[in-house]
Structures are given as structure tokens and as C-alpha cells.
Amino acid sequence: MLHRLTSPLRWAVDYVLPPRCAGCGTPVGEDHRFCATCWGKLRFIAPPWCAACHVPFAFDRGEGAVCASCAAAPPRHAGVRAAVAYGDVAGSLAVRLKHGGRIAIAGTMARAMVRLVPEGADLLIPVPLHRARLWRRGFNQAALIAAALSRRCGVAHDPLVLERLRATRLLRGLGRRARARMVAGAFRVRPSRRAAIKGRSVILVDDVYTTGATALACTRALLAAGAGSVTILCWARVLAGADAND
């Protein structure tokens, strides 16, 4: 009965406010979908990739192959998994979510990211904002994505595990080393949440992975507090030759 009542209502809403492409706003058949043009501009990341950091390879190098960076300095995290490579469409979604307040885009990102949630994951943890920035923005985009992911994959999420101890200037325009210095020691696991991550496989959720400075600072804090492993999961990853404004 409920379905019979809601179906006409849903039809009426879709007629007046049809679902639109998350990239350009063109009407599409279903929420969180892309039009053919925007879909064609998205580069989805999948194997073959580095066994350690999951940066994509141009060709299959064999099982267990790692990139030069990971061979020289094995990462402490359990991999960086990103749904898409950073580009015009992927970047526009990140900007509209973070700075345009289009919070429904978090669900669009989660829909593309859910395939990358590793088996055995215990907890989704978003990269935190400093309270001053959270107050100005009104929401944490990483927390919105983590909540949407949790609904899709069934893995619990906790937005209060990590705390940002100090505000940092925007990292836009800074190089890898400058970003790393800026966020060093900026995060900690709240003492009340240490037991919740002890020995567990946690997934650190964010919107864009640029140089990795913020994610790696969070990873250090989580491992120091007793997490068994930390996998980084994001919507978009900046690959060599790309330029991200965030």
C-alpha cells in the first residue's frame, strides 16, 4: 500500500524536479547518475595498480608489483583507494560539495567509492575539520561521504575518532614538503575513542587525495593510537601531471 501511495508522489516530484547529472546538471534518469558526456570525462581507477599504494599502472607489471616510490619507502598505510582520477568533472564535484554546499554530492561520491571498501573493514573514519572551519562551513564533507558509504556498505562510521588540534592555512598551492610540515602533529585520536580502534581495520575517508600529507598525518595518529591497519579511501586522486586546486 505504501508503495502505491509513494510511487505517484515520486513521479510527480521527478516531473517537477527531475534528477540531474551530478557533473553538469543535465536531467538524467536517476539520482547520483552522470550524463554521457560527464561520464566519459571520468577516469575510474582500478587495477593494474601498485600493490602498496594503488597508484594505477599503465600496464600489468605482475602480482605484487610496487611503484618506485613505495619500493624506496614502503608506506605505513594499507593503500590509497580512489574512485576516480582528479580531473575537470571529478574536481567540480569536490568543489561544489566543499564550497558550494551541495551536500547530496556526498552520496554520488559514495556510490562510486563503495566498490573499493576492502573486505574485513571494521570502521569508517572521516578526516576531521578544525572546529573553527567546521563552524564556518557548517559541515565536514568527509564525514558526509563516510556516512553515505556506511549506509551503502554496512560498515559503521564514527566521525568523532579523529580530532584536528589546530587550524592550518589552506594547503592550496603548497608543495608536498610544505604540506607535510603544515599538518605535522595536527591530528590525534580522542582518548575516549582509542578502545574503538584498537587492533581494528579502519578506513580513513576523504574527498580528494592530493599529496597525501593530511591523510598520512591522520594515518600516523591512528596507528599510534593502536589501529591495526589504515586504508585511505577517497573520491578523487591527483595523479602525476594533474593539478588540483584543493
Side-chain angles (χ1 to χ4, degrees):
M1 178 64 72
L2 180 60
H3 174 74
R4 293 180 181 178
L5 291 174
T6 57
S7 292
L9 178 60
R10 176 59 185 268
W11 180 88
V13 170
D14 286 348
Y15 180 79
V16 177
L17 299 171
R20 294 184 177 274
C21 170
C24 67
T26 299
V28 292
E30 187 179 338
D31 288 330
H32 307 301
R33 296 285 189 178
F34 293 90
C35 68
T37 300
C38 289
W39 180 264
K41 293 179 180 179
L42 290 171
R43 176 187 172 187
F44 288 87
I45 298 178
W49 55 27
C50 171
C53 75
H54 297 127
V55 68
F57 289 151
F59 58 90
D60 192 347
R61 302 185 185 182
E63 185 176 357
V66 297
C67 65
S69 295
C70 290
R76 298 187 66 190
H77 58 67
V80 180
R81 300 185 175 210
V84 297
Y86 193 94
D88 290 343
V89 174
S92 72
L93 263 68
V95 170
R96 287 163 58 210
L97 170 59
K98 184 184 295 186
H99 302 300
R102 300 289 298 275
I103 61 175
I105 289 175
T108 304
M109 294 176 173
R111 181 172 181 152
M113 294 163 63
V114 69
R115 66 184 171 89
L116 297 172
V117 175
E119 292 186 13
D122 294 313
L123 190 63
L124 301 169
I125 299 173
V127 171
L129 292 179
H130 186 266
R131 60 182 179 275
R133 188 165 293 169
L134 181 61
W135 182 84
R136 290 195 299 271
R137 188 174 297 168
F139 61 90
N140 176 1
Q141 72 280 357
L144 293 177
I145 298 169
L149 269 173
S150 180
R151 290 191 294 270
R152 286 190 171 273
C153 70
V155 177
H157 78 288
D158 188 340
L160 299 179
V161 168
L162 280 170
E163 178 182 18
R164 193 160 194 150
L165 298 174
R166 68 174 190 273
T168 55
R169 56 166 285 193
L170 292 176
L171 302 184
R172 183 181 303 136
L174 297 181
R176 184 182 300 273
R177 291 183 179 179
R179 286 174 180 246
R181 288 194 300 268
M182 189 69 66
V183 297
F187 303 93
R188 73 162 184 169
V189 173
R190 285 185 168 89
S192 63
R193 291 297 200 272
R194 284 177 174 259
I197 67 168
K198 188 73 172 180
R200 304 186 79 187
S201 173
V202 302
I203 311 301
L204 182 68
V205 179
D206 206 359
D207 56 347
V208 177
Y209 183 94
T210 307
T211 65
T214 297
L216 295 180
C218 291
T219 296
R220 293 190 192 97
L222 289 164
L223 293 175
S229 66
V230 180
T231 300
I232 299 162
L233 178 59
C234 59
W235 155 245
R237 180 175 186 169
V238 177
L239 301 178
D243 179 29
N245 292 323
D246 284 328

